[in-house]
Amino acid sequence: DIQMTQSPSAVSTSVGDSVTITCRASQTIYSYMAWFQQEPGKAPKLLIYKASTLESGVPSRFSGSGSETEFTLTISGLQPDDFVTYYCQQYFTYPYTFGQGTRLEI
Amino acid sequence: QLQLQESGPGLVKPSGTLSLTCTVSGASISGSNYYWGWIRQSPGKGLECIGNIFYDDTGYFNPSLKSRVSMSVDTSKNHFSLRLTSVTAADTGVYFCARLNYEYWRGAYYYYMDVWGKGTTVTVS
């Protein structure tokens, strides 16, 4: 299985700041990376796929970049609703695998 | 608007069988290139893909669970199902169903989960 290493596991920041989350794959996944946002008690919500394509309806303050094994999710101008947990996930090869998650804290 | 809803027992006895159904509304399961999948989440293992199934009942499963997992599609009811046998406490968690949308590149399809159900909690005890 491809291992996804996500960092940091938690980050303290403030409304209006920007934050970058990193995800590393144990082997190349080309650009087959998705990013999800998860609120407590809810299902993950797709934010970005194909490493940098914004899902319809997702605010433009979310952006993704990277290829091969190194990827980032950047959130600019953090809003109060953004302080939840984020996951990366590769879908290049099955079984698709997720990172351990990054929790954003105020 | 596409919606998915999981249903099934919230409590399963050890060594028993976990059975869940995902009912799809707002779109037809059949006649499309989408896969339909199951994912679970537990404090110990995080998010874990269980398996994906096509409307014609073809699919693939996580090798770590493959010997215990089966999935099926009922196009007449527009739902798909999961069965996981010989469950233990390690199978406790929240189970989600999802639609897998696709990209096509150089002769291959790549699937990502774009619509999720709300999830259902299953406890093995």
PDB file of all heavy atoms in Angstrom, chain A residues 32 36 38 43-44 46 49-50 87 89 91-92 94-96 98, chain B residues 41 47 50-52 60-62 96 103 105 110-113 116-117:
ATOM      1  N   TYR A  32      -2.620  12.275  -8.627  1.00  0.00           N
ATOM      2  CA  TYR A  32      -3.874  11.682  -8.157  1.00  0.00           C
ATOM      3  C   TYR A  32      -4.015  11.824  -6.649  1.00  0.00           C
ATOM      4  O   TYR A  32      -3.998  10.845  -5.882  1.00  0.00           O
ATOM      5  CB  TYR A  32      -3.992  10.242  -8.659  1.00  0.00           C
ATOM      6  CG  TYR A  32      -4.071  10.232 -10.163  1.00  0.00           C
ATOM      7  CD1 TYR A  32      -2.988   9.829 -10.930  1.00  0.00           C
ATOM      8  CD2 TYR A  32      -5.209  10.717 -10.811  1.00  0.00           C
ATOM      9  CE1 TYR A  32      -3.047   9.883 -12.316  1.00  0.00           C
ATOM     10  CE2 TYR A  32      -5.270  10.777 -12.190  1.00  0.00           C
ATOM     11  CZ  TYR A  32      -4.181  10.352 -12.938  1.00  0.00           C
ATOM     12  OH  TYR A  32      -4.234  10.411 -14.309  1.00  0.00           O
ATOM     13  N   PHE A  36      -9.576  16.528   1.644  1.00  0.00           N
ATOM     14  CA  PHE A  36     -10.899  16.545   2.247  1.00  0.00           C
ATOM     15  C   PHE A  36     -10.881  17.383   3.516  1.00  0.00           C
ATOM     16  O   PHE A  36      -9.865  17.461   4.220  1.00  0.00           O
ATOM     17  CB  PHE A  36     -11.347  15.123   2.617  1.00  0.00           C
ATOM     18  CG  PHE A  36     -11.559  14.225   1.441  1.00  0.00           C
ATOM     19  CD1 PHE A  36     -10.510  13.474   0.939  1.00  0.00           C
ATOM     20  CD2 PHE A  36     -12.800  14.124   0.836  1.00  0.00           C
ATOM     21  CE1 PHE A  36     -10.698  12.635  -0.157  1.00  0.00           C
ATOM     22  CE2 PHE A  36     -13.003  13.298  -0.253  1.00  0.00           C
ATOM     23  CZ  PHE A  36     -11.941  12.552  -0.752  1.00  0.00           C
ATOM     24  N   GLN A  38     -13.069  17.714   7.149  1.00  0.00           N
ATOM     25  CA  GLN A  38     -14.040  16.989   7.960  1.00  0.00           C
ATOM     26  C   GLN A  38     -14.361  17.750   9.235  1.00  0.00           C
ATOM     27  O   GLN A  38     -13.462  18.022  10.045  1.00  0.00           O
ATOM     28  CB  GLN A  38     -13.549  15.581   8.310  1.00  0.00           C
ATOM     29  CG  GLN A  38     -14.629  14.745   8.997  1.00  0.00           C
ATOM     30  CD  GLN A  38     -14.199  13.315   9.275  1.00  0.00           C
ATOM     31  OE1 GLN A  38     -13.023  13.034   9.503  1.00  0.00           O
ATOM     32  NE2 GLN A  38     -15.153  12.384   9.251  1.00  0.00           N
ATOM     33  N   ALA A  43     -19.288  13.657   7.628  1.00  0.00           N
ATOM     34  CA  ALA A  43     -18.494  12.965   6.625  1.00  0.00           C
ATOM     35  C   ALA A  43     -17.429  13.897   6.057  1.00  0.00           C
ATOM     36  O   ALA A  43     -17.603  15.126   6.050  1.00  0.00           O
ATOM     37  CB  ALA A  43     -19.393  12.473   5.499  1.00  0.00           C
ATOM     38  N   PRO A  44     -16.341  13.342   5.567  1.00  0.00           N
ATOM     39  CA  PRO A  44     -15.370  14.174   4.840  1.00  0.00           C
ATOM     40  C   PRO A  44     -16.043  14.836   3.638  1.00  0.00           C
ATOM     41  O   PRO A  44     -16.930  14.256   3.011  1.00  0.00           O
ATOM     42  CB  PRO A  44     -14.305  13.170   4.395  1.00  0.00           C
ATOM     43  CG  PRO A  44     -14.400  12.062   5.400  1.00  0.00           C
ATOM     44  CD  PRO A  44     -15.864  11.968   5.707  1.00  0.00           C
ATOM     45  N   LEU A  46     -15.129  16.700  -0.041  1.00  0.00           N
ATOM     46  CA  LEU A  46     -14.076  16.877  -1.038  1.00  0.00           C
ATOM     47  C   LEU A  46     -13.818  18.358  -1.291  1.00  0.00           C
ATOM     48  O   LEU A  46     -14.747  19.120  -1.585  1.00  0.00           O
ATOM     49  CB  LEU A  46     -14.482  16.202  -2.342  1.00  0.00           C
ATOM     50  CG  LEU A  46     -13.502  16.333  -3.517  1.00  0.00           C
ATOM     51  CD1 LEU A  46     -12.196  15.590  -3.220  1.00  0.00           C
ATOM     52  CD2 LEU A  46     -14.143  15.806  -4.808  1.00  0.00           C
ATOM     53  N   TYR A  49      -9.277  17.830  -6.017  1.00  0.00           N
ATOM     54  CA  TYR A  49      -8.866  16.571  -6.617  1.00  0.00           C
ATOM     55  C   TYR A  49      -7.867  16.871  -7.730  1.00  0.00           C
ATOM     56  O   TYR A  49      -7.667  18.034  -8.102  1.00  0.00           O
ATOM     57  CB  TYR A  49     -10.067  15.761  -7.135  1.00  0.00           C
ATOM     58  CG  TYR A  49     -10.860  16.445  -8.222  1.00  0.00           C
ATOM     59  CD1 TYR A  49     -10.622  16.150  -9.565  1.00  0.00           C
ATOM     60  CD2 TYR A  49     -11.838  17.380  -7.914  1.00  0.00           C
ATOM     61  CE1 TYR A  49     -11.346  16.783 -10.566  1.00  0.00           C
ATOM     62  CE2 TYR A  49     -12.561  18.018  -8.901  1.00  0.00           C
ATOM     63  CZ  TYR A  49     -12.322  17.711 -10.228  1.00  0.00           C
ATOM     64  OH  TYR A  49     -13.042  18.335 -11.219  1.00  0.00           O
ATOM     65  N   LYS A  50      -7.229  15.816  -8.228  1.00  0.00           N
ATOM     66  CA  LYS A  50      -6.162  15.972  -9.218  1.00  0.00           C
ATOM     67  C   LYS A  50      -5.132  17.009  -8.753  1.00  0.00           C
ATOM     68  O   LYS A  50      -4.619  17.798  -9.532  1.00  0.00           O
ATOM     69  CB  LYS A  50      -6.748  16.376 -10.567  1.00  0.00           C
ATOM     70  CG  LYS A  50      -5.775  16.117 -11.746  1.00  0.00           C
ATOM     71  CD  LYS A  50      -5.567  14.677 -12.038  1.00  0.00           C
ATOM     72  CE  LYS A  50      -4.588  14.414 -13.173  1.00  0.00           C
ATOM     73  NZ  LYS A  50      -5.106  14.853 -14.470  1.00  0.00           N
ATOM     74  N   TYR A  87      -7.695  16.041   5.508  1.00  0.00           N
ATOM     75  CA  TYR A  87      -7.044  14.788   5.130  1.00  0.00           C
ATOM     76  C   TYR A  87      -6.623  14.828   3.673  1.00  0.00           C
ATOM     77  O   TYR A  87      -7.350  15.335   2.809  1.00  0.00           O
ATOM     78  CB  TYR A  87      -7.995  13.603   5.300  1.00  0.00           C
ATOM     79  CG  TYR A  87      -8.404  13.316   6.709  1.00  0.00           C
ATOM     80  CD1 TYR A  87      -9.570  13.861   7.260  1.00  0.00           C
ATOM     81  CD2 TYR A  87      -7.640  12.474   7.521  1.00  0.00           C
ATOM     82  CE1 TYR A  87      -9.946  13.602   8.559  1.00  0.00           C
ATOM     83  CE2 TYR A  87      -8.014  12.198   8.820  1.00  0.00           C
ATOM     84  CZ  TYR A  87      -9.166  12.766   9.331  1.00  0.00           C
ATOM     85  OH  TYR A  87      -9.543  12.488  10.626  1.00  0.00           O
ATOM     86  N   GLN A  89      -5.504  12.225   0.452  1.00  0.00           N
ATOM     87  CA  GLN A  89      -5.809  10.858   0.029  1.00  0.00           C
ATOM     88  C   GLN A  89      -5.315  10.631  -1.391  1.00  0.00           C
ATOM     89  O   GLN A  89      -5.548  11.460  -2.268  1.00  0.00           O
ATOM     90  CB  GLN A  89      -7.315  10.604   0.078  1.00  0.00           C
ATOM     91  CG  GLN A  89      -7.742   9.200  -0.324  1.00  0.00           C
ATOM     92  CD  GLN A  89      -8.712   9.183  -1.477  1.00  0.00           C
ATOM     93  OE1 GLN A  89      -9.515  10.098  -1.639  1.00  0.00           O
ATOM     94  NE2 GLN A  89      -8.664   8.151  -2.300  1.00  0.00           N
ATOM     95  N   TYR A  91      -5.404   8.458  -4.890  1.00  0.00           N
ATOM     96  CA  TYR A  91      -6.279   7.547  -5.622  1.00  0.00           C
ATOM     97  C   TYR A  91      -5.612   7.080  -6.907  1.00  0.00           C
ATOM     98  O   TYR A  91      -6.267   6.774  -7.896  1.00  0.00           O
ATOM     99  CB  TYR A  91      -7.657   8.178  -5.885  1.00  0.00           C
ATOM    100  CG  TYR A  91      -7.681   9.481  -6.649  1.00  0.00           C
ATOM    101  CD1 TYR A  91      -7.955   9.512  -8.012  1.00  0.00           C
ATOM    102  CD2 TYR A  91      -7.472  10.701  -6.011  1.00  0.00           C
ATOM    103  CE1 TYR A  91      -8.009  10.706  -8.718  1.00  0.00           C
ATOM    104  CE2 TYR A  91      -7.522  11.903  -6.700  1.00  0.00           C
ATOM    105  CZ  TYR A  91      -7.791  11.897  -8.065  1.00  0.00           C
ATOM    106  OH  TYR A  91      -7.845  13.082  -8.756  1.00  0.00           O
ATOM    107  N   PHE A  92      -4.278   6.994  -6.842  1.00  0.00           N
ATOM    108  CA  PHE A  92      -3.559   6.479  -8.004  1.00  0.00           C
ATOM    109  C   PHE A  92      -3.670   4.964  -8.098  1.00  0.00           C
ATOM    110  O   PHE A  92      -3.811   4.386  -9.174  1.00  0.00           O
ATOM    111  CB  PHE A  92      -2.078   6.884  -7.937  1.00  0.00           C
ATOM    112  CG  PHE A  92      -1.240   6.273  -9.014  1.00  0.00           C
ATOM    113  CD1 PHE A  92      -1.477   6.569 -10.342  1.00  0.00           C
ATOM    114  CD2 PHE A  92      -0.218   5.394  -8.696  1.00  0.00           C
ATOM    115  CE1 PHE A  92      -0.710   5.996 -11.358  1.00  0.00           C
ATOM    116  CE2 PHE A  92       0.554   4.825  -9.699  1.00  0.00           C
ATOM    117  CZ  PHE A  92       0.309   5.123 -11.019  1.00  0.00           C
ATOM    118  N   TYR A  94      -5.182   1.267  -5.927  1.00  0.00           N
ATOM    119  CA  TYR A  94      -5.989   0.728  -4.831  1.00  0.00           C
ATOM    120  C   TYR A  94      -5.133  -0.222  -3.990  1.00  0.00           C
ATOM    121  O   TYR A  94      -4.331  -0.971  -4.556  1.00  0.00           O
ATOM    122  CB  TYR A  94      -7.207  -0.012  -5.387  1.00  0.00           C
ATOM    123  CG  TYR A  94      -8.341  -0.045  -4.390  1.00  0.00           C
ATOM    124  CD1 TYR A  94      -9.160   1.065  -4.213  1.00  0.00           C
ATOM    125  CD2 TYR A  94      -8.552  -1.157  -3.592  1.00  0.00           C
ATOM    126  CE1 TYR A  94     -10.177   1.061  -3.276  1.00  0.00           C
ATOM    127  CE2 TYR A  94      -9.561  -1.164  -2.658  1.00  0.00           C
ATOM    128  CZ  TYR A  94     -10.372  -0.053  -2.506  1.00  0.00           C
ATOM    129  OH  TYR A  94     -11.371  -0.056  -1.576  1.00  0.00           O
ATOM    130  N   PRO A  95      -5.263  -0.248  -2.660  1.00  0.00           N
ATOM    131  CA  PRO A  95      -6.262   0.503  -1.902  1.00  0.00           C
ATOM    132  C   PRO A  95      -5.902   1.975  -1.759  1.00  0.00           C
ATOM    133  O   PRO A  95      -4.750   2.320  -1.459  1.00  0.00           O
ATOM    134  CB  PRO A  95      -6.244  -0.185  -0.530  1.00  0.00           C
ATOM    135  CG  PRO A  95      -4.860  -0.726  -0.407  1.00  0.00           C
ATOM    136  CD  PRO A  95      -4.445  -1.108  -1.785  1.00  0.00           C
ATOM    137  N   TYR A  96      -6.875   2.842  -2.017  1.00  0.00           N
ATOM    138  CA  TYR A  96      -6.661   4.264  -1.803  1.00  0.00           C
ATOM    139  C   TYR A  96      -6.334   4.461  -0.326  1.00  0.00           C
ATOM    140  O   TYR A  96      -6.903   3.804   0.543  1.00  0.00           O
ATOM    141  CB  TYR A  96      -7.909   5.061  -2.157  1.00  0.00           C
ATOM    142  CG  TYR A  96      -8.429   4.811  -3.549  1.00  0.00           C
ATOM    143  CD1 TYR A  96      -9.779   4.870  -3.826  1.00  0.00           C
ATOM    144  CD2 TYR A  96      -7.575   4.506  -4.609  1.00  0.00           C
ATOM    145  CE1 TYR A  96     -10.280   4.641  -5.100  1.00  0.00           C
ATOM    146  CE2 TYR A  96      -8.052   4.267  -5.883  1.00  0.00           C
ATOM    147  CZ  TYR A  96      -9.403   4.331  -6.121  1.00  0.00           C
ATOM    148  OH  TYR A  96      -9.891   4.095  -7.378  1.00  0.00           O
ATOM    149  N   PHE A  98      -5.250   7.258   2.996  1.00  0.00           N
ATOM    150  CA  PHE A  98      -5.404   8.596   3.537  1.00  0.00           C
ATOM    151  C   PHE A  98      -4.230   8.958   4.421  1.00  0.00           C
ATOM    152  O   PHE A  98      -3.582   8.087   5.027  1.00  0.00           O
ATOM    153  CB  PHE A  98      -6.670   8.679   4.397  1.00  0.00           C
ATOM    154  CG  PHE A  98      -7.961   8.573   3.642  1.00  0.00           C
ATOM    155  CD1 PHE A  98      -8.489   7.333   3.325  1.00  0.00           C
ATOM    156  CD2 PHE A  98      -8.667   9.707   3.267  1.00  0.00           C
ATOM    157  CE1 PHE A  98      -9.688   7.213   2.645  1.00  0.00           C
ATOM    158  CE2 PHE A  98      -9.872   9.609   2.587  1.00  0.00           C
ATOM    159  CZ  PHE A  98     -10.379   8.364   2.269  1.00  0.00           C
TER     160      PHE A  98
ATOM    161  N   GLN B  41     -14.048   4.715   9.354  1.00  0.00           N
ATOM    162  CA  GLN B  41     -13.177   5.574  10.148  1.00  0.00           C
ATOM    163  C   GLN B  41     -13.211   5.124  11.591  1.00  0.00           C
ATOM    164  O   GLN B  41     -14.278   4.985  12.182  1.00  0.00           O
ATOM    165  CB  GLN B  41     -13.626   7.034  10.026  1.00  0.00           C
ATOM    166  CG  GLN B  41     -12.716   8.033  10.718  1.00  0.00           C
ATOM    167  CD  GLN B  41     -13.098   9.470  10.391  1.00  0.00           C
ATOM    168  OE1 GLN B  41     -14.265   9.792  10.163  1.00  0.00           O
ATOM    169  NE2 GLN B  41     -12.117  10.354  10.336  1.00  0.00           N
ATOM    170  N   LEU B  47      -9.006   6.858   8.474  1.00  0.00           N
ATOM    171  CA  LEU B  47      -9.887   6.580   7.341  1.00  0.00           C
ATOM    172  C   LEU B  47      -9.315   5.428   6.524  1.00  0.00           C
ATOM    173  O   LEU B  47      -8.140   5.436   6.170  1.00  0.00           O
ATOM    174  CB  LEU B  47     -10.034   7.822   6.471  1.00  0.00           C
ATOM    175  CG  LEU B  47     -10.919   8.928   7.045  1.00  0.00           C
ATOM    176  CD1 LEU B  47     -10.606  10.267   6.400  1.00  0.00           C
ATOM    177  CD2 LEU B  47     -12.390   8.577   6.858  1.00  0.00           C
ATOM    178  N   ILE B  50     -12.685   0.403   2.119  1.00  0.00           N
ATOM    179  CA  ILE B  50     -13.068  -1.004   2.251  1.00  0.00           C
ATOM    180  C   ILE B  50     -13.189  -1.659   0.879  1.00  0.00           C
ATOM    181  O   ILE B  50     -12.674  -2.747   0.647  1.00  0.00           O
ATOM    182  CB  ILE B  50     -14.398  -1.130   3.010  1.00  0.00           C
ATOM    183  CG1 ILE B  50     -14.270  -0.532   4.413  1.00  0.00           C
ATOM    184  CG2 ILE B  50     -14.845  -2.592   3.071  1.00  0.00           C
ATOM    185  CD1 ILE B  50     -15.591  -0.411   5.160  1.00  0.00           C
ATOM    186  N   GLY B  51     -13.896  -1.007  -0.024  1.00  0.00           N
ATOM    187  CA  GLY B  51     -14.071  -1.563  -1.355  1.00  0.00           C
ATOM    188  C   GLY B  51     -14.936  -0.675  -2.219  1.00  0.00           C
ATOM    189  O   GLY B  51     -15.627   0.218  -1.733  1.00  0.00           O
ATOM    190  N   ASN B  52     -14.871  -0.917  -3.512  1.00  0.00           N
ATOM    191  CA  ASN B  52     -15.674  -0.188  -4.488  1.00  0.00           C
ATOM    192  C   ASN B  52     -16.403  -1.181  -5.374  1.00  0.00           C
ATOM    193  O   ASN B  52     -15.877  -2.264  -5.668  1.00  0.00           O
ATOM    194  CB  ASN B  52     -14.779   0.690  -5.385  1.00  0.00           C
ATOM    195  CG  ASN B  52     -13.998   1.717  -4.616  1.00  0.00           C
ATOM    196  OD1 ASN B  52     -14.392   2.143  -3.545  1.00  0.00           O
ATOM    197  ND2 ASN B  52     -12.863   2.104  -5.172  1.00  0.00           N
ATOM    198  N   TYR B  60     -13.648  -4.115  -6.485  1.00  0.00           N
ATOM    199  CA  TYR B  60     -12.384  -4.508  -5.885  1.00  0.00           C
ATOM    200  C   TYR B  60     -12.383  -4.077  -4.426  1.00  0.00           C
ATOM    201  O   TYR B  60     -13.077  -3.131  -4.033  1.00  0.00           O
ATOM    202  CB  TYR B  60     -11.197  -3.929  -6.657  1.00  0.00           C
ATOM    203  CG  TYR B  60     -11.334  -2.473  -7.049  1.00  0.00           C
ATOM    204  CD1 TYR B  60     -10.735  -1.463  -6.297  1.00  0.00           C
ATOM    205  CD2 TYR B  60     -12.054  -2.103  -8.188  1.00  0.00           C
ATOM    206  CE1 TYR B  60     -10.856  -0.146  -6.663  1.00  0.00           C
ATOM    207  CE2 TYR B  60     -12.166  -0.781  -8.555  1.00  0.00           C
ATOM    208  CZ  TYR B  60     -11.567   0.189  -7.798  1.00  0.00           C
ATOM    209  OH  TYR B  60     -11.685   1.510  -8.157  1.00  0.00           O
ATOM    210  N   PHE B  61     -11.612  -4.812  -3.639  1.00  0.00           N
ATOM    211  CA  PHE B  61     -11.648  -4.641  -2.197  1.00  0.00           C
ATOM    212  C   PHE B  61     -10.243  -4.430  -1.646  1.00  0.00           C
ATOM    213  O   PHE B  61      -9.257  -4.850  -2.241  1.00  0.00           O
ATOM    214  CB  PHE B  61     -12.277  -5.867  -1.539  1.00  0.00           C
ATOM    215  CG  PHE B  61     -13.594  -6.263  -2.128  1.00  0.00           C
ATOM    216  CD1 PHE B  61     -13.784  -7.508  -2.691  1.00  0.00           C
ATOM    217  CD2 PHE B  61     -14.655  -5.366  -2.141  1.00  0.00           C
ATOM    218  CE1 PHE B  61     -14.990  -7.864  -3.259  1.00  0.00           C
ATOM    219  CE2 PHE B  61     -15.867  -5.707  -2.709  1.00  0.00           C
ATOM    220  CZ  PHE B  61     -16.038  -6.965  -3.267  1.00  0.00           C
ATOM    221  N   ASN B  62     -10.200  -3.809  -0.496  1.00  0.00           N
ATOM    222  CA  ASN B  62      -8.934  -3.655   0.204  1.00  0.00           C
ATOM    223  C   ASN B  62      -8.394  -5.049   0.548  1.00  0.00           C
ATOM    224  O   ASN B  62      -9.080  -5.835   1.192  1.00  0.00           O
ATOM    225  CB  ASN B  62      -9.147  -2.830   1.476  1.00  0.00           C
ATOM    226  CG  ASN B  62      -7.851  -2.389   2.104  1.00  0.00           C
ATOM    227  OD1 ASN B  62      -6.872  -3.125   2.119  1.00  0.00           O
ATOM    228  ND2 ASN B  62      -7.850  -1.175   2.629  1.00  0.00           N
ATOM    229  N   PHE B  96     -18.944   4.908   6.110  1.00  0.00           N
ATOM    230  CA  PHE B  96     -19.467   5.844   5.115  1.00  0.00           C
ATOM    231  C   PHE B  96     -19.604   5.143   3.766  1.00  0.00           C
ATOM    232  O   PHE B  96     -18.767   4.310   3.410  1.00  0.00           O
ATOM    233  CB  PHE B  96     -18.504   7.022   4.904  1.00  0.00           C
ATOM    234  CG  PHE B  96     -18.221   7.859   6.119  1.00  0.00           C
ATOM    235  CD1 PHE B  96     -17.076   7.646   6.877  1.00  0.00           C
ATOM    236  CD2 PHE B  96     -19.093   8.885   6.481  1.00  0.00           C
ATOM    237  CE1 PHE B  96     -16.794   8.440   7.979  1.00  0.00           C
ATOM    238  CE2 PHE B  96     -18.820   9.677   7.591  1.00  0.00           C
ATOM    239  CZ  PHE B  96     -17.674   9.444   8.344  1.00  0.00           C
ATOM    240  N   GLU B 103     -11.688  10.365 -13.550  1.00  0.00           N
ATOM    241  CA  GLU B 103     -10.933  11.067 -14.588  1.00  0.00           C
ATOM    242  C   GLU B 103     -10.403   9.994 -15.528  1.00  0.00           C
ATOM    243  O   GLU B 103     -10.139   8.875 -15.110  1.00  0.00           O
ATOM    244  CB  GLU B 103      -9.733  11.802 -13.984  1.00  0.00           C
ATOM    245  CG  GLU B 103     -10.044  12.723 -12.834  1.00  0.00           C
ATOM    246  CD  GLU B 103      -8.767  13.185 -12.178  1.00  0.00           C
ATOM    247  OE1 GLU B 103      -7.979  13.895 -12.835  1.00  0.00           O
ATOM    248  OE2 GLU B 103      -8.524  12.814 -11.013  1.00  0.00           O
ATOM    249  N   TRP B 105      -7.321   9.227 -18.199  1.00  0.00           N
ATOM    250  CA  TRP B 105      -5.998   9.704 -18.632  1.00  0.00           C
ATOM    251  C   TRP B 105      -5.205   8.548 -19.175  1.00  0.00           C
ATOM    252  O   TRP B 105      -5.033   7.532 -18.513  1.00  0.00           O
ATOM    253  CB  TRP B 105      -5.265  10.343 -17.443  1.00  0.00           C
ATOM    254  CG  TRP B 105      -3.949  10.964 -17.791  1.00  0.00           C
ATOM    255  CD1 TRP B 105      -3.721  12.008 -18.634  1.00  0.00           C
ATOM    256  CD2 TRP B 105      -2.663  10.572 -17.292  1.00  0.00           C
ATOM    257  NE1 TRP B 105      -2.378  12.290 -18.680  1.00  0.00           N
ATOM    258  CE2 TRP B 105      -1.703  11.432 -17.873  1.00  0.00           C
ATOM    259  CE3 TRP B 105      -2.230   9.585 -16.402  1.00  0.00           C
ATOM    260  CZ2 TRP B 105      -0.347  11.328 -17.594  1.00  0.00           C
ATOM    261  CZ3 TRP B 105      -0.874   9.502 -16.126  1.00  0.00           C
ATOM    262  CH2 TRP B 105       0.051  10.358 -16.724  1.00  0.00           C
ATOM    263  N   TYR B 110      -9.319   6.943 -13.257  1.00  0.00           N
ATOM    264  CA  TYR B 110      -8.885   7.166 -11.883  1.00  0.00           C
ATOM    265  C   TYR B 110     -10.079   7.726 -11.124  1.00  0.00           C
ATOM    266  O   TYR B 110     -10.699   8.691 -11.559  1.00  0.00           O
ATOM    267  CB  TYR B 110      -7.691   8.125 -11.836  1.00  0.00           C
ATOM    268  CG  TYR B 110      -6.475   7.543 -12.524  1.00  0.00           C
ATOM    269  CD1 TYR B 110      -6.278   7.727 -13.893  1.00  0.00           C
ATOM    270  CD2 TYR B 110      -5.558   6.776 -11.818  1.00  0.00           C
ATOM    271  CE1 TYR B 110      -5.185   7.171 -14.528  1.00  0.00           C
ATOM    272  CE2 TYR B 110      -4.458   6.216 -12.452  1.00  0.00           C
ATOM    273  CZ  TYR B 110      -4.277   6.411 -13.810  1.00  0.00           C
ATOM    274  OH  TYR B 110      -3.200   5.859 -14.439  1.00  0.00           O
ATOM    275  N   TYR B 111     -10.364   7.108  -9.984  1.00  0.00           N
ATOM    276  CA  TYR B 111     -11.599   7.397  -9.268  1.00  0.00           C
ATOM    277  C   TYR B 111     -11.336   8.106  -7.945  1.00  0.00           C
ATOM    278  O   TYR B 111     -10.486   7.673  -7.158  1.00  0.00           O
ATOM    279  CB  TYR B 111     -12.355   6.098  -9.000  1.00  0.00           C
ATOM    280  CG  TYR B 111     -12.915   5.471 -10.245  1.00  0.00           C
ATOM    281  CD1 TYR B 111     -12.158   4.591 -11.013  1.00  0.00           C
ATOM    282  CD2 TYR B 111     -14.198   5.786 -10.669  1.00  0.00           C
ATOM    283  CE1 TYR B 111     -12.682   4.033 -12.171  1.00  0.00           C
ATOM    284  CE2 TYR B 111     -14.727   5.236 -11.832  1.00  0.00           C
ATOM    285  CZ  TYR B 111     -13.960   4.359 -12.569  1.00  0.00           C
ATOM    286  OH  TYR B 111     -14.473   3.817 -13.713  1.00  0.00           O
ATOM    287  N   TYR B 112     -12.115   9.150  -7.680  1.00  0.00           N
ATOM    288  CA  TYR B 112     -12.019   9.867  -6.408  1.00  0.00           C
ATOM    289  C   TYR B 112     -13.416  10.022  -5.820  1.00  0.00           C
ATOM    290  O   TYR B 112     -14.411  10.075  -6.541  1.00  0.00           O
ATOM    291  CB  TYR B 112     -11.357  11.242  -6.595  1.00  0.00           C
ATOM    292  CG  TYR B 112     -12.065  12.155  -7.567  1.00  0.00           C
ATOM    293  CD1 TYR B 112     -12.991  13.100  -7.119  1.00  0.00           C
ATOM    294  CD2 TYR B 112     -11.816  12.066  -8.935  1.00  0.00           C
ATOM    295  CE1 TYR B 112     -13.644  13.933  -8.010  1.00  0.00           C
ATOM    296  CE2 TYR B 112     -12.472  12.895  -9.835  1.00  0.00           C
ATOM    297  CZ  TYR B 112     -13.376  13.821  -9.366  1.00  0.00           C
ATOM    298  OH  TYR B 112     -14.039  14.647 -10.252  1.00  0.00           O
ATOM    299  N   MET B 113     -13.493  10.091  -4.488  1.00  0.00           N
ATOM    300  CA  MET B 113     -14.773  10.127  -3.777  1.00  0.00           C
ATOM    301  C   MET B 113     -15.293  11.556  -3.691  1.00  0.00           C
ATOM    302  O   MET B 113     -14.711  12.373  -2.982  1.00  0.00           O
ATOM    303  CB  MET B 113     -14.591   9.520  -2.389  1.00  0.00           C
ATOM    304  CG  MET B 113     -14.327   8.020  -2.460  1.00  0.00           C
ATOM    305  SD  MET B 113     -13.562   7.355  -0.973  1.00  0.00           S
ATOM    306  CE  MET B 113     -11.848   7.687  -1.325  1.00  0.00           C
ATOM    307  N   TRP B 116     -20.437  11.905  -0.370  1.00  0.00           N
ATOM    308  CA  TRP B 116     -20.428  10.963   0.740  1.00  0.00           C
ATOM    309  C   TRP B 116     -21.785  10.936   1.426  1.00  0.00           C
ATOM    310  O   TRP B 116     -22.497  11.949   1.469  1.00  0.00           O
ATOM    311  CB  TRP B 116     -19.387  11.370   1.783  1.00  0.00           C
ATOM    312  CG  TRP B 116     -17.960  11.317   1.332  1.00  0.00           C
ATOM    313  CD1 TRP B 116     -17.398  11.980   0.274  1.00  0.00           C
ATOM    314  CD2 TRP B 116     -16.905  10.589   1.947  1.00  0.00           C
ATOM    315  NE1 TRP B 116     -16.064  11.701   0.202  1.00  0.00           N
ATOM    316  CE2 TRP B 116     -15.721  10.855   1.215  1.00  0.00           C
ATOM    317  CE3 TRP B 116     -16.817   9.736   3.063  1.00  0.00           C
ATOM    318  CZ2 TRP B 116     -14.482  10.295   1.551  1.00  0.00           C
ATOM    319  CZ3 TRP B 116     -15.587   9.186   3.394  1.00  0.00           C
ATOM    320  CH2 TRP B 116     -14.445   9.463   2.648  1.00  0.00           C
ATOM    321  N   GLY B 117     -22.106   9.773   2.020  1.00  0.00           N
ATOM    322  CA  GLY B 117     -23.207   9.713   2.953  1.00  0.00           C
ATOM    323  C   GLY B 117     -22.789  10.316   4.281  1.00  0.00           C
ATOM    324  O   GLY B 117     -21.616  10.651   4.480  1.00  0.00           O
TER     325      GLY B 117
END
